Amino acid sequence: MAVRCHNLLEIMRCLLIDNSNTRTKFAIGTENELKPLAARIPTRDLSPTTLTEALQGESYDCVYLCSVVPEKAALMAEFFQNCPFHKLSYQSDLGIQIDYPKPEQIGADRLANAIGVHHLFRSPAIVIDFGTAVTFDVVGADATYLGGVIAPGLPSMTDYLANRTALLPKIELSEPTSAIGKSTVDAMHVGAVYGYRGLVREIIHKLRDEMPGDPVIVATGGDAELIAQGVEEIQHVSPILTLEGIRIAATRHFQS
Ligand SMILES: Nc1ncnc2c1ncn2[C@@H]1O[C@H](COP(=O)(O)OP(=O)(O)O)[C@@H](O)[C@H]1O
Ligand SMILES: CC(C)(COP(=O)(O)O)[C@@H](O)C(=O)NCCC(=O)O
Ligand SMILES: [K+]
């Protein structure tokens, strides 16, 4: 097995892993910075072989895993068994408070997003992650995780129609050119992209109505760019937000 752990006396390099349902992202983080993405593996393809290939040439002192896919988390715990290893949970040292009846239910990526938005931007905040699911997480003014919303992600708009109809194709989404679709595919783009923006706007407004103060609204995840460009309420798109949250939690865990 090609796991290489070095015990450097200098700055600790931690392998940060965002194991979400569609893609698993890997990056090296130190106390001071997040290095560019080291690898991205489709989550369903994660195996000792794909891990070894993807991480060839990377060196790190510790591994910090954020997972919402238990079967793959178990695989990686085993793969990295020779390294100092930690899996993010509500019991980890996160640097934020949690005000939630059953904190063990909260997806680890949602906690990482809350940490990321508080550190990269500020709180109060709403962080929206456009992945397999779309999640909205609310961080109160005192950096307390308060809860949020889970809805089907943008792929549900296309996968559902392709799987459940005879005549609708599987499409790649892009910005519609007009609301009145002039072809099947055009009409589907409008339904998915404009329709999804409506869902997002309505949820943002409902959340803001219940929040004291003026939250910063930040988007992340694979579909953030496409959707956020038409939602004026979203102030920033930050592709690295989840990994940044994981880096901060890893630093707190391994360096304090
Ligand atoms: N190169 C790509 N590979 C896969 N999905 C992509 C890619 N570029 C954009 N996407 C979009 O990003 C979504 C996955 O986002 P991501 O944030 O990786 O999800 P998750 O965090 O749930 O794994 C896909 O459903 C797709 O719509
Ligand atoms: C809501 C999620 C499916 C989002 O996962 P993702 O789209 O990032 O792959 C994940 O955060 C999860 O499984 N959460 C557990 C349930 C909860 O957060 O309440
Ligand atoms: K995610």
Side-chain angles (χ1 to χ4, degrees):
M1 193 180 302
V3 178
R4 292 202 282 150
C5 295
H6 298 259
N7 263 322
L8 300 179
L9 290 171
E10 314 125 28
I11 296 176
M12 219 179 193
R13 290 165 61 88
C14 200
L15 177 66
L16 313 171
I17 309 176
D18 170 7
N19 173 222
S20 293
N21 285 286
T22 300
R23 298 186 286 182
T24 298
K25 300 94 177 169
F26 300 84
I28 301 290
T30 69
E31 191 179 1
N32 305 316
E33 65 167 333
L34 179 66
K35 312 264 187 209
L37 214 59
R40 193 154 47 192
I41 306 179
T43 296
R44 75 165 81 87
D45 295 345
L46 272 180
S47 71
T49 309
T50 56
L51 282 166
T52 303
E53 265 170 38
L55 299 174
Q56 223 156 36
E58 298 293 338
S59 68
Y60 41 87
D61 311 299
C62 52
V63 177
Y64 198 96
L65 172 65
C66 175
S67 174
V68 290
V69 186
E71 176 208 332
K72 299 299 184 185
L75 183 154
M76 286 188 277
E78 159 109 25
F79 184 81
F80 294 109
Q81 64 185 308
N82 297 326
C83 279
F85 177 91
H86 183 77
K87 185 157 75 94
L88 189 154
S89 84
Y90 75 101
Q91 290 170 312
S92 306
D93 179 0
L94 302 176
I96 58 170
Q97 302 303 308
I98 300 176
D99 176 6
Y100 203 78
K102 292 188 174 166
E104 66 277 13
Q105 284 187 346
I106 308 166
D109 56 345
R110 302 177 65 192
L111 291 173
N113 285 339
I115 301 167
V117 81
H118 173 67
H119 283 267
L120 281 184
F121 296 90
R122 64 171 169 84
S123 48
I126 300 173
V127 54
I128 311 174
D129 191 333
F130 293 94
T132 318
V134 60
T135 51
F136 298 69
D137 288 291
V138 173
V139 187
D142 49 356
T144 299
Y145 178 87
L146 295 177
V149 176
I150 302 171
L154 187 62
S156 65
M157 302 293 276
T158 50
D159 295 351
Y160 178 82
L161 293 177
N163 292 337
R164 299 291 292 268
T165 65
L167 295 181
L168 300 187
K170 172 106 177 89
I171 56 166
E172 292 291 318
L173 284 179
S174 58
E175 189 65 36
T177 46
S178 73
I180 303 175
K182 293 290 192 186
S183 69
T184 303
V185 169
D186 282 356
M188 291 170 69
H189 279 291
V190 175
V193 176
Y194 290 178
Y196 210 76
R197 287 189 186 131
L199 172 149
V200 170
R201 240 184 238 113
E202 179 71 3
I203 293 173
I204 289 174
H205 288 186
K206 293 290 184 197
L207 290 175
R208 270 203 311 217
D209 287 349
E210 286 185 20
M211 289 179 72
D214 182 25
V216 62
I217 303 183
V218 184
T220 191
D223 292 309
E225 203 73 58
L226 173 63
I227 297 304
Q229 66 183 336
V231 181
E232 308 70 39
E233 289 84 345
I234 298 177
Q235 292 152 307
H236 306 277
V237 174
S238 172
I240 57 152
L241 193 86
T242 311
L243 282 165
E244 186 64 22
I246 299 171
R247 183 185 72 78
I248 288 153
T251 300
R252 295 181 73 89
H253 180 82
F254 286 112
Q255 304 211 316
S256 56

